[in-house]
Amino acid sequence: LMSRIVAVASPTPSTAPRTTLRRRDTFIAPLLASCLVRPARASLVDETSATRVFAETSKSVARVAVVAPNGEISGRGSGVVWYIDDAYAYIATNAHCVVKGNENEKLVVMLASGAAAALDKDASYFVNRSTDIGFLKVPIGSFGADAPVAAKIGTSDNLRVGQSAFSLGFEEDGAAVLSSGTINGLKRKIPSRNGVGLKGLIQTDAQVTEFTSGGALCDSAGRVIGLNVVAYAGSQKRDPQGVNFAIPIDAVRLAAEQM
């Protein structure tokens, strides 16, 4: 009787492994499922947004530079094609970018297409040093066949900390660049060249350099929500360390109306 009981209770060699595997698979399957490689959805969305914003907005961003008598070009900053009418293109930029070293230099506005327009007697500019906002008024014909495209101007009224932000402008070598990040803060204050300081700024970790200053800070839909501005540090070189700023676009709109 005992031998019969043992025989019933003890699984045969042929069935024991199968029973063990089934139990192990049941336990391990959820763990394996959690380790399966899945598409990085957030990364793909960010990448798609970044490439789309650059493709759509880079043609509405300009390089502001000066040309020396010997033909040497030096970048002063970037700008945003704010508005275009039948005769002129209006370029928004930082007031500190609209500076010539001497009377022999010429201010030029250069587009991603390679078209360039010099600010001659038919061009003019308007600046507000206290807000570091400036506008260049350039004859549309100065760009030749490659006319600039006006940017999509958004609003800064409903910005939220944590939303995506993209900084566009031209670097020192004249290349159009994009830096992506998020909005880290609102209503910030930084020193400025006017000695008063700039208030109400957008803080972002999207990089802004002295050459992309004046360029566009955009949302994920490609709307311009701010005008990049680099913090002033006197004679000291500034390492952004992820802390960058932009003038809210609603403040730029107000300045445009006043100018």
Side-chain angles (χ1 to χ4, degrees):
L1 180 60
M2 287 297 296
S3 62
R4 292 177 61 187
I5 293 175
V6 170
V8 173
S10 303
T12 64
S14 61
T15 59
R18 288 197 296 270
T19 303
T20 303
L21 283 174
R22 283 197 295 271
R23 290 175 179 173
R24 183 181 64 186
D25 292 346
T26 302
F27 176 73
I28 292 178
L31 298 180
L32 291 177
S34 66
C35 298
L36 293 176
V37 177
R38 293 185 174 89
R41 296 182 182 275
S43 297
L44 290 175
V45 169
D46 291 344
E47 182 178 342
T48 301
S49 298
T51 54
R52 185 184 67 249
V53 169
F54 183 79
E56 294 178 356
T57 312
S58 59
K59 54 192 174 185
S60 300
V61 177
R63 183 189 186 196
V64 180
V66 294
V67 180
N70 63 0
E72 183 178 354
I73 300 175
S74 300
R76 287 291 185 267
S78 299
V80 177
V81 183
W82 182 265
Y83 175 75
I84 298 174
D85 60 23
D86 293 337
Y88 294 96
Y90 297 84
I91 314 295
T93 185
N94 294 144
H96 75 258
C97 296
V98 190
V99 176
K100 296 189 295 182
N102 58 65
E103 292 301 320
N104 295 322
E105 292 181 336
K106 283 188 177 181
L107 263 173
V108 294
V109 175
M110 311 173 79
L111 305 177
S113 64
L119 271 71
D120 55 19
K121 59 183 179 60
D122 294 322
S124 55
Y125 61 88
F126 313 89
V127 295
N128 185 331
R129 303 289 180 190
S130 64
T131 59
D132 204 11
I133 298 172
F135 282 89
L136 303 171
K137 180 182 176 183
V138 187
I140 195 70
S142 302
F143 292 101
D146 294 321
V149 178
K152 293 191 296 184
I153 306 300
T155 179
S156 51
D157 183 56
N158 56 357
L159 298 181
R160 304 180 311 278
V161 172
Q163 76 176 78
S164 298
F166 303 90
S167 168
L168 288 89
F170 284 81
E171 271 299 348
E172 185 176 11
D173 60 358
V177 296
L178 175 144
S179 176
S180 60
T182 58
I183 293 176
N184 305 133
L186 301 169
K187 299 181 179 180
R188 301 306 308 277
K189 179 181 178 179
I190 61 173
S192 70
R193 285 170 170 78
N194 59 32
V196 176
L198 302 177
K199 301 177 181 179
L201 302 184
I202 303 166
Q203 180 181 322
T204 177
D205 53 6
Q207 187 178 28
V208 176
T209 69
E210 63 177 299
F211 301 103
T212 60
S213 187
L217 186 71
C218 299
D219 62 13
S220 56
R223 296 175 295 237
V224 182
I225 56 175
L227 195 68
N228 293 339
V229 61
V230 68
Y232 179 61
S235 60
Q236 302 298 317
K237 292 293 183 180
R238 174 180 173 269
D239 182 3
Q241 297 181 343
V243 181
N244 306 277
F245 301 94
I247 302 168
I249 204 64
D250 289 349
V252 182
R253 182 180 289 108
L254 177 62
E257 295 171 356
Q258 293 174 343
M259 292 182 190

